[in-house]
Amino acid sequence: MVQNATPLSALEKKLGYRFRRQELLNQALTHRSYGAVNNERLEFLGDAILNFVVADALYEQFPSAHEGQLSRLRARLVRRQTLAEIAREVSLGDHLIMGTGELRSGGFDRDSILSDALEGIIGAIYIDGDLQSARVNILAWFTSRLESLSLDNSQKDSKTRLQEFLQAKRAMLPEYVITKMTGKAPDQVFTVECRSEMLSEVAVGQGENRRIAEQMAATHALSLLGVPEEGSAHGK
């Protein structure tokens, strides 16, 4: 079994929270492949807190939204891909503690493991501090994403629509691969390919970060597959 020896002070700085009980942070970073003491219980707690805080923020931000719109916006914010993006932004993968096999198979960069660990950290912050501490950190991580939302974009995004389309066809989920990165931050351009057994050609997208590039690639894939825009005459 392997434990990452990267100092946790750097991670705490990126997270914006310093733990009084370092063992809680260690546990939040520990995957079940490492041993019986792992982050699964903290993840359970963190998931509930995350959903509550995001729901509360959306309720305040969109006073005229109905339940369905709020539910779709929350689902977009708390889904696995979004949590994994935030985890990558704070270099969470560099600090994960996991078994040798999981480490060698690339578990440190797997969306499911990264998102679970981030939820574990939320649970750990709540126990180490309180609900307000967890709320402050969650909102700090999600600020730019919350600000980018509107009721006009409460519909499903391209990645979600593509995934649901492929699942309905009983096809494998799409694979997103970064094929090129040019420039330096904040002027970087990411090129991402979306690959699927149902596509006759590779769908390509570009954006200023991985998230946007993946969405653009998914949009291209939907176009190649002939899936109409949500809310269009053919899409109703």
Side-chain angles (χ1 to χ4, degrees), residues 161-172:
R161 292 174 58 223
L162 177 61
Q163 178 174 315
E164 291 181 351
F165 175 82
L166 294 176
Q167 287 176 326
K169 300 293 184 180
R170 299 187 182 280
M172 295 180 64

Side-chain angles (χ1 to χ4, degrees), residues 1-234:
M1 292 184 288
V2 175
Q3 177 168 344
N4 198 316
T6 308
L8 294 181
S9 57
L11 175 60
E12 288 180 311
K13 185 175 181 179
K14 288 186 177 182
L15 289 172
Y17 183 85
R18 185 167 296 280
F19 281 84
R20 291 186 288 272
R21 297 169 57 187
Q22 285 288 310
E23 69 272 16
L24 283 170
L25 177 56
N26 281 315
Q27 184 178 347
L29 295 169
T30 302
H31 186 256
R32 64 177 179 272
S33 63
Y34 188 77
V37 179
N38 54 60
N39 61 14
E40 288 186 329
R41 283 173 54 82
L42 288 173
E43 173 204 340
F44 167 78
L45 184 59
D47 174 68
I49 295 168
L50 173 64
N51 273 275
F52 164 70
V53 171
V54 170
D56 182 59
L58 292 172
Y59 184 87
E60 293 296 328
Q61 185 170 333
F62 299 104
S64 64
H66 58 67
E67 180 187 2
Q69 290 174 310
L70 292 173
S71 294
R72 284 193 292 272
L73 290 172
R74 181 179 62 178
R76 178 183 301 184
L77 289 173
V78 303
R79 64 183 177 174
R80 175 180 294 177
Q81 297 97 322
T82 303
L83 299 183
E85 288 165 6
I86 294 172
R88 291 188 180 96
E89 289 169 5
V90 298
S91 304
L92 192 58
D94 295 342
H95 305 273
L96 294 178
I97 303 166
M98 60 185 66
T100 304
E102 198 67 62
L103 186 65
R104 288 177 177 172
S105 68
F108 60 88
D109 193 43
R110 191 170 299 136
D111 280 6
S112 58
I113 292 178
L114 288 170
S115 60
D116 288 350
L118 188 69
E119 289 179 334
I121 285 175
I122 292 170
I125 291 175
Y126 168 72
I127 294 174
D128 188 69
D130 52 23
L131 180 58
Q132 182 60 17
S133 298
R135 182 197 297 271
V136 167
N137 280 268
I138 290 169
L139 293 179
W141 303 336
F142 280 87
T143 293
S144 62
R145 291 169 172 85
L146 283 164
E147 290 176 347
S148 70
L149 295 177
S150 71
L151 295 184
D152 292 333
N153 65 16
S154 65
Q155 296 174 323
K156 297 172 183 175
D157 60 56
S158 294
K159 287 182 67 175
T160 300
R161 292 174 58 223
L162 177 61
Q163 178 174 315
E164 291 181 351
F165 175 82
L166 294 176
Q167 287 176 326
K169 300 293 184 180
R170 299 187 182 280
M172 295 180 64
L173 295 181
E175 178 185 12
Y176 296 92
V177 180
I178 296 177
T179 58
K180 189 176 181 182
M181 292 172 55
T182 59
K184 296 182 179 180
D187 300 314
Q188 280 184 305
V189 176
F190 288 72
T191 301
V192 167
E193 290 184 355
C194 175
R195 302 169 183 174
S196 168
E197 60 187 301
M198 292 195 65
L199 289 171
S200 58
E201 60 184 276
V202 175
V204 180
Q206 290 187 327
E208 61 187 24
N209 57 46
R210 176 176 180 164
R211 175 167 56 95
I212 294 174
E214 287 182 352
Q215 289 290 350
M216 296 302 294
T219 300
H220 186 195
L222 289 167
S223 176
L224 292 172
L225 292 167
V227 181
E229 290 284 339
E230 206 174 32
S232 69
H234 297 291

